[in-house]
């Protein structure tokens, strides 16, 4: 039954990876509930959810082709940041970010909710003939790196945080931002996973079950996300993120 729960959690986590970006807030508690120590659960969860990003990338392939250069740049940044996050997990005491994570998630949910108005205000400031924002700036690079480091360290809500950064930093559709969000979180998970595999205690049986479930869930979630109107998708992200943050505070 424990194996079945982990497999189902992997599938559900894959769906959440592609849609609302809060997969770890579902899969991590399941791994702890079936008896894994928190640190082992965290590192196994990170590695096991990598295939969710691969499945989602397959489902989002059209969206990822929209801005290939930007996608490659974000992929490189978060891959490097994931190594830093993994190193922090290995070196720092467990639970360093527990007190601030719920508030970070709530703050980014507010940004996601207000993103259309903020984007409209920015367009108004630039004027109708202003150039569309699809280039990295030093501020955006810094924000992407910070979220990538957090994703490698723990990752709960990292998808929501990254979506807020991307949606506010670039003039792109929400579905494209969601596809890029999924790609970047996957990159942080891959590099962090390599560090964990070399330095931490990994439960490879759990990793295998999560991987099987999450790759299918990631593809299914991408297909769902592409069909949801942008407003509905934004509402789902805000509701899921807020609920997760409240649950962490209780």
């Amino acid at each position: 039954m424990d194996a079945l729960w982990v497999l189902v959690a992997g599938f559900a986590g894959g769906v959440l990876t592609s849609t609302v970006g809060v997969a770890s807030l579902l899969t991590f508690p399941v791994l702890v509930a079936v008896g894994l120590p928190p640190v082992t659960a965290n590192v196994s969860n990170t590695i096991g959810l990598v295939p969710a990003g691969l499945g989602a990338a397959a489902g989002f392939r059209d969206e990822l082709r929209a801005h290939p250069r930007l996608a490659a740049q974000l992929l490189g940044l978060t891959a490097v940041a994931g190594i830093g996050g993994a190193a922090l997990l290995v070196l720092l005491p467990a639970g360093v970010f527990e007190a601030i994570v719920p508030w970070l998630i709530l703050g980014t949910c507010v940004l996601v909710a207000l993103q259309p108005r903020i984007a409209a205000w920015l367009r108004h400031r630039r004027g109708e003939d202003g150039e569309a924002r699809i280039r990295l700036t030093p501020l955006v690079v810094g924000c992407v790196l910070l979220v990538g480091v957090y994703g490698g360290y723990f990752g709960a809500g990292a998808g929501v945080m990254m979506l807020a950064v991307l949606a506010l930093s670039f003039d792109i559709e929400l579905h494209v931002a969601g596809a890029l969000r999924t790609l970047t979180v996957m990159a942080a998970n891959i590099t962090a996973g390599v560090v964990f595999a070399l330095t931490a205690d990994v439960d490879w049986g759990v990793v295998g079950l999560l991987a099987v479930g999450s790759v299918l869930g990631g593809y299914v979630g991408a297909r769902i996300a592409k069909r949801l109107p942008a407003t509905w998708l934004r509402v789902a992200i805000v509701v899921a993120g807020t609920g997760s943050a409240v649950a962490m505070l209780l």
Side-chain angles (χ1 to χ4, degrees):
M1 285 302 297
D2 285 350
L4 180 60
W5 278 117
V6 173
L7 186 64
V8 171
F11 178 81
V15 173
L16 293 176
T17 293
S18 303
T19 52
V20 295
V22 293
S24 291
L25 292 168
L26 182 148
T27 54
F28 176 75
V30 171
L31 299 188
V32 173
V34 299
L36 269 66
V39 173
T40 302
N42 190 12
V43 299
S44 302
N45 183 65
T46 296
I47 300 172
L49 288 180
V50 167
L54 297 174
F60 282 130
R61 56 188 178 275
D62 293 334
E63 286 75 11
L64 293 175
R65 292 192 190 109
H67 303 288
R69 182 180 177 184
L70 179 60
Q73 291 171 330
L74 293 171
L75 192 67
L77 286 172
T78 48
V80 172
I83 297 174
L88 288 178
L89 181 67
V90 173
L91 297 173
L92 294 179
V96 168
F97 289 155
E98 285 182 1
I100 63 171
V101 166
W103 302 106
L104 287 174
I105 296 173
L106 285 173
T108 50
C109 284
V110 172
L111 290 177
V112 171
L114 296 178
Q115 182 265 334
R117 294 189 179 185
I118 297 173
W121 177 75
L122 290 173
R123 284 195 299 270
H124 177 72
R125 286 197 61 183
R126 292 198 313 273
E128 294 299 326
D129 298 327
E131 184 179 355
R133 297 174 302 147
I134 54 173
R135 295 182 180 180
L136 290 171
T137 65
L139 177 60
V140 176
V141 169
C143 291
V144 168
L145 287 174
L146 284 174
V147 178
V149 167
Y150 170 70
Y153 177 85
F154 180 48
V160 178
M161 297 177 194
M162 187 64 78
L163 181 66
V165 170
L166 299 178
L168 291 172
S169 301
F170 306 112
D171 292 328
I172 55 179
E173 294 181 358
L174 185 64
H175 292 88
V176 175
L180 291 171
R181 175 273 314 275
T182 303
L183 186 72
T184 55
V185 172
M186 179 192 69
N189 281 349
I190 289 174
T191 53
V194 171
V195 175
F196 294 151
L198 296 174
T199 62
D201 181 21
V202 180
D203 189 318
W204 292 105
V206 164
V207 168
L209 291 169
L210 281 178
V212 171
S214 69
V215 70
L216 296 173
Y219 183 80
V220 171
R223 308 303 292 180
I224 294 172
K226 290 172 68 168
R227 286 166 171 75
L228 283 177
T231 300
W232 289 18
L233 183 59
R234 183 176 289 106
V235 170
I237 292 166
V238 172
V239 170
T242 302
S244 300
V246 171
M248 294 175 73
L249 287 169
L250 296 178

